[in-house]
Amino acid sequence: MLGPQKEAAEQIGISKIIGVATPRVDGPLKTTGSAMYASDFHLPGLVYAWPTTATIASGSVTGIDLSTAKGMPGVLAIYTHENIGPLYRTPPAPVLSLMIDETRPPLEDTTIRYYGQYVAVAVAETMEQARAAAEAVKVTYSKTAHNTDVHLIGSGVNTPKEVTKRGNTTDALKSAAIKHDAIYSTPTETHNPIELHASVASYKDGKFTLYETSQAVGNHRDVLAAVLGAPPDSVQVITRFLGSGFGGKLWPWPHSALAASCSRNLNRPVKLVVSRSMMFQSVGHRPAIDQRIQLAATSTGKLTAIQQDYVNHTSVQDDYDEGCGEATGFIYSCPNVLVTGNLARRNVGTPTSMRGPGAVPGLYALESAMDELALKLEMDPVELRLINEPEMDESTGKPFSSRHLKECLSVGAEKFGWAKRNPTVGSMKNADGLTLGWGMAACSWIATRIDAEASVELRQDGTARIVCGAQDIGGGTYTVIAQMVAHETGVPVRRVEVVLGDSSLPPGPISGGSWATASLTPAVLDAARSAIKAIVLAATKANGSPFKGKQESELEFVDGGVRGKGGDGTTLSFSDVLKLSKAKGVSGSGKSQGVFGDNQSPYSFHSYGAQFAEVTWQPEIARLRVSRIVTVIDAGRMLNPRTAKNQIEGAVVMGVGMAMLEATEYEERSGAPINSSLADYIVAVSADCPQIDVTFLDYPDFKLNSLGARGVGEIGLAGVAAAIANAVQHATGVRARRLPIRIEDLLSAPEPSPSFA
Ligand code: MOS
């Protein structure tokens, strides 16, 4: 799985621990059921909250009748906008600080802006009692017309915002030899991690302890403090384990403030678990998006213009911008590029980041359009990408820190067998006589580092302990941190204790953006080095130490012990140093400043990949299956190829869902996200999984950090839907410009591209 670069990296001194396929250190905790997820915390005196949700999508509450609900068994309280207590909007803050997508606190007023908005919350001794009471709350409404229309082009609220611009696309499009112009539409997609969103809130002596499903405990603390009107140091947020989140758990949602407020009001710990159905309403989603893509090229396939105009829906209240042009500015060489973005207001809950926000839907559109352009050029689609490879990031003029997209394409083509592709639609058959479609796409995703701190303790018993206020979303952060500490200190991975998921620990990165690993690397290594320094110093001072009286500069720390530089090899383990020093352990702190948003940073940091897809098509029964995906990923050095491969495989399966299955549907009459269950919102399951072949190029990106690691959480999803849509065109002749691709789309004659005259 690892490429030739693995050896090269080892030659430059990366240890035997980094780059080794290490099983998850938290695996046994998870398989034995002892890993504590947020809703697993049962505090003494715990009571349960269940929200009452709006059954209209626009209007206002005219009355709330609590008479029945209040007298029901076990009911302790029912809160509405009249008695929930003080909750505040968070003040506007700089990027990556006080992040929240739905800015309105729950039960703020009587205005209803989306179906499922909280209008009351019942608290009772058991969850069933709370739910029964919440459902017995009688709310009357004054209804106004709602809008959940998925047609977005032309209904943007603002003047389109210029996201990236160079040259003049208008002129280039006018004079081009070959042109392409089409609209690509993607639906609302709802994050469906198996772990439901949950809050267990405890309020005692002026202090909140919040067990949350959070991808960012530090931010969650700051936001909740602001919403509750409490000092940040009176709020502690704990997320030991996450049953994933896919971005839906990055920023706090209103239920968290509801649970905390109920706890404050009642002086009892309160548990609120958001139901699967409510998760389609009030904890974010990837918005519906329309993207118009215009491409122009010379007759030999050199791109001369790329224009991307997107409109995504957002809520009535908040401005969520999907950022579909994320990759457009730098993925290809092109003198004239324009990306514009706009928002269309709809009566929906506020959208949020979903795995690869911006780039994932953006690349579905751009890479579908590139395939259409290749057809017009009668050029192989791989070749079209190869000849438009840029020398540098043309959107910023900066060199790429490390970019191997061409190699992703060539390795992928080789592994997939692309050379055997007959471009004629429907011409290829497999051994069972099924029609084959082969398609491909290139992809990219942001790489960066954000601020991080960590503390490492080396202990007398020979173990190490690392603490950091980061989280493990499920991708393997516990494990790669243990590897980093082991790499630096010589303590075996199984003897490294990793403590994460607590806002009272040194501030760690968010588990988002695929940034956690790259951000943690310098902070964790720095902390380990500072603990090592303390050990070396102790070795020069401890009675009985062979190094007593020596200068620190005369000593070195190798494989968990102190020895003299150029000496006879006498080594004193750190455990012995601590014994002689009569110390249980020493700690070191590490801190690193990120490069995120730093315009002065000299490099353009991104990960790249190539996706190759095979579908099988049986026109007689309109049966389409994704049978095979070959994915080649250039995401820096893989610290742990085992967990990394797992990330890419999971992302590919999510890509199958995006291409073929997933769409949240808003019912016209009520405005409700109507398929709000795992029975009706179809995600890819094992039976939908294609054969997946993952290759990592494994070129270390030492410009990003000393281990050369970028991140793999999101890149595996980018480009997959386009590769599948392109394969579908090759099999069926039908161009899918709307996701998910449905059987009925394949039955109709190919649609001509819309005209914009
Ligand atoms: Mo990811 S959408 O940044 O959790």
Side-chain angles (χ1 to χ4, degrees):
M1 191 168 51
L2 288 168
Q5 293 308 307
K6 185 179 174 194
E7 278 171 38
E10 267 161 14
Q11 282 160 13
I12 47 176
I14 286 185
S15 75
K16 296 181 207 85
I17 297 152
I18 296 300
V20 172
T22 308
R24 282 159 204 263
V25 295
D26 51 334
L29 284 176
K30 288 184 171 174
T31 51
T32 57
S34 32
M36 294 289 281
Y37 294 81
S39 65
D40 292 332
F41 286 88
H42 290 273
L43 309 176
L46 184 73
V47 294
Y48 295 81
W50 195 278
T52 303
T53 57
T55 54
I56 64 166
S58 180
S60 58
V61 172
T62 52
I64 303 183
D65 176 1
L66 303 178
S67 52
T68 309
K70 265 188 170 165
M72 288 172 68
V75 172
L76 297 164
I78 299 174
Y79 298 106
T80 67
H81 62 280
E82 289 180 336
N83 61 344
I84 186 63
L87 293 173
Y88 307 93
R89 293 188 182 204
T90 50
V95 178
L96 287 188
S97 168
L98 281 178
M99 290 290 296
I100 183 168
D101 280 323
E102 179 162 345
T103 54
R104 177 187 174 277
L107 312 185
E108 186 186 43
D109 55 24
T110 55
T111 307
I112 302 299
R113 298 177 175 91
Y114 63 90
Y115 187 99
Q117 183 183 314
Y118 299 138
V119 291
V121 58
V123 187
E125 296 289 349
T126 71
M127 190 187 78
E128 293 75 10
Q129 290 168 336
R131 180 174 190 169
E135 288 171 359
V137 171
K138 293 190 195 85
V139 186
T140 47
Y141 302 96
S142 152
K143 206 173 155 177
T144 53
H146 62 258
N147 183 355
T148 54
D149 186 13
V150 298
H151 301 93
L152 303 171
I153 292 261
S155 68
V157 288
N158 306 314
T159 318
K161 180 178 89 179
E162 274 184 12
V163 182
T164 195
K165 186 179 180 173
R166 61 178 180 263
N168 182 329
T169 49
T170 311
D171 291 351
L173 284 161
K174 238 179 251 159
S175 61
I178 308 286
K179 274 183 257 194
H180 171 68
D181 184 349
I183 292 175
Y184 301 85
S185 302
T186 48
T188 299
E189 281 186 277
T190 300
H191 318 67
N192 271 288
I194 291 305
E195 182 200 29
L196 301 169
H197 286 245
S199 295
V200 177
S202 150
Y203 180 73
K204 216 175 175 180
D205 306 326
K207 187 178 181 300
F208 290 92
T209 308
L210 309 176
Y211 298 89
E212 298 284 352
T213 47
S214 173
Q215 294 176 230
V217 292
N219 179 74
H220 201 112
R221 172 201 54 210
D222 295 346
V223 169
L224 264 287
V227 173
L228 293 161
D233 60 7
S234 71
V235 179
Q236 184 181 8
V237 174
I238 296 168
T239 302
R240 296 294 183 201
F241 290 94
L242 272 167
S244 202
F246 306 116
K249 294 171 181 167
L250 272 171
W251 321 127
W253 295 101
H255 67 270
S256 176
L258 272 190
S261 188
C262 289
S263 178
R264 176 166 63 184
N265 293 344
L266 288 167
N267 243 309
R268 302 272 298 264
V270 172
K271 179 185 292 193
L272 193 165
V273 178
V274 178
S275 71
R276 183 64 61 182
S277 168
M278 289 177 200
M279 277 176 54
F280 285 78
Q281 301 162 357
S282 47
V283 294
H285 55 267
R286 195 197 300 280
I289 311 160
D290 279 346
Q291 301 178 64
R292 180 182 178 188
I293 305 275
Q294 298 174 82
L295 299 177
T298 64
S299 56
T300 56
K302 288 291 286 179
L303 287 167
T304 54
I306 305 175
Q307 184 166 336
Q308 177 181 24
D309 302 290
Y310 70 88
V311 185
N312 67 262
H313 86 201
T314 187
S315 59
V316 172
Q317 173 76 43
D318 301 301
D319 292 353
Y320 174 82
D321 178 3
E322 177 70 13
C324 294
E326 205 281 310
T328 311
F330 60 84
I331 192 161
Y332 298 118
S333 176
C334 181
N336 305 294
V337 176
L338 176 62
V339 178
T340 72
N342 208 340
L343 308 178
R345 296 225 179 272
R346 295 293 182 260
N347 293 99
V348 297
T350 303
T352 194
S353 295
M354 184 176 188
R355 205 174 199 174
V360 163
L363 284 164
Y364 155 66
L366 180 63
E367 289 298 288
S368 293
M370 285 291 281
D371 200 67
E372 299 203 52
L373 183 69
L375 282 173
K376 285 184 182 167
L377 287 158
E378 296 180 15
M379 179 180 263
D380 183 272
V382 175
E383 183 62 18
L384 178 61
R385 272 86 176 174
L386 290 173
I387 65 166
N388 286 291
E389 173 73 11
E391 295 287 315
M392 60 167 173
D393 180 337
E394 294 178 6
S395 70
T396 59
K398 293 177 185 179
F400 296 112
S401 62
S402 172
R403 167 170 164 140
H404 302 91
L405 177 56
K406 284 172 91 168
E407 191 174 330
C408 290
L409 292 163
S410 58
V411 169
E414 175 67 32
K415 294 204 105 181
F416 189 82
W418 190 258
K420 294 194 284 284
R421 182 177 186 264
N422 179 339
T424 307
V425 167
S427 64
M428 294 178 68
K429 306 279 173 195
N430 73 3
D432 299 326
L434 307 182
T435 303
L436 289 178
W438 284 6
M440 56 74 57
C443 67
S444 166
W445 178 244
I446 312 161
T448 194
R449 283 197 290 110
I450 55 176
D451 298 354
E453 294 180 33
S455 172
V456 167
E457 185 188 13
L458 292 169
R459 297 189 287 204
Q460 205 193 77
D461 62 3
T463 63
R465 182 174 196 262
I466 159 123
V467 299
C468 175
Q471 321 59 218
D472 188 336
I473 186 174
T477 302
Y478 277 109
T479 311
V480 295
I481 291 181
Q483 288 177 272
M484 290 175 197
V485 173
H487 162 74
E488 200 62 33
T489 63
V491 175
V493 165
R494 67 189 153 75
R495 308 205 73 198
V496 179
E497 184 193 353
V498 184
V499 182
L500 305 177
D502 185 333
S503 64
S504 65
L505 299 175
I510 64 169
S511 294
S514 307
W515 306 336
T517 298
S519 304
L520 283 162
T521 296
V524 171
L525 297 186
D526 189 33
R529 277 177 211 133
S530 125
I532 286 167
K533 202 161 182 287
I535 291 285
V536 173
L537 179 64
T540 66
K541 296 199 165 150
N543 287 328
S545 163
F547 308 114
K548 190 170 156 93
K550 290 228 186 280
Q551 294 298 310
E552 287 167 75
S553 57
E554 296 172 82
L555 303 177
E556 61 185 357
F557 188 92
V558 180
D559 287 340
V562 180
R563 68 181 188 196
K565 283 182 189 163
D568 59 4
T570 304
T571 302
L572 191 62
S573 72
F574 74 77
S575 163
D576 286 339
V577 173
L578 289 165
K579 278 177 199 150
L580 293 172
S581 313
K582 302 195 186 348
K584 285 218 168 77
V586 294
S587 286
S589 296
K591 190 171 181 164
S592 78
Q593 204 187 340
V595 297
F596 176 78
D598 174 9
N599 294 329
Q600 304 310 309
S601 165
Y603 297 103
S604 168
F605 293 110
H606 300 278
S607 288
Y608 298 91
Q611 313 284 9
F612 288 80
E614 176 186 275
V615 299
T616 61
W617 169 234
Q618 290 165 270
E620 307 82 356
I621 55 168
R623 188 171 194 267
L624 182 76
R625 304 285 296 168
V626 181
S627 49
R628 192 159 67 95
I629 300 277
V630 169
T631 173
V632 183
I633 301 294
D634 166 32
R637 178 149 178 81
M638 291 305 125
L639 301 190
N640 185 343
R642 183 163 170 160
T643 49
K645 180 175 180 230
N646 194 213
Q647 282 293 295
I648 303 300
E649 288 169 337
V652 165
V653 174
M654 201 165 170
V656 172
M658 179 182 176
M660 311 284 292
L661 305 165
E662 293 192 44
T664 303
E665 309 281 358
Y666 294 92
E667 198 223 4
E668 218 177 294
R669 255 180 324 150
S670 64
I674 199 69
N675 54 337
S676 58
S677 71
L678 285 176
D680 295 320
Y681 181 91
I682 314 298
V683 297
V685 296
S686 298
D688 300 300
C689 288
Q691 185 192 320
I692 304 171
D693 180 343
V694 181
T695 302
F696 293 116
L697 295 188
D698 214 34
Y699 286 102
D701 189 344
F702 292 122
K703 303 214 166 67
L704 191 59
N705 57 57
S706 64
L707 296 180
R710 292 207 287 255
V712 285
E714 283 150 300
I715 182 75
L717 177 57
V720 174
I724 293 171
N726 297 342
V728 167
Q729 194 280 333
H730 180 230
T732 67
V734 177
R735 173 61 60 181
R737 296 200 189 102
R738 174 177 296 278
L739 295 185
I741 304 166
R742 298 189 196 273
I743 290 170
E744 52 269 37
D745 301 330
L746 304 177
L747 298 176
S748 55
E751 258 180 70
S753 183
S755 112
F756 298 96

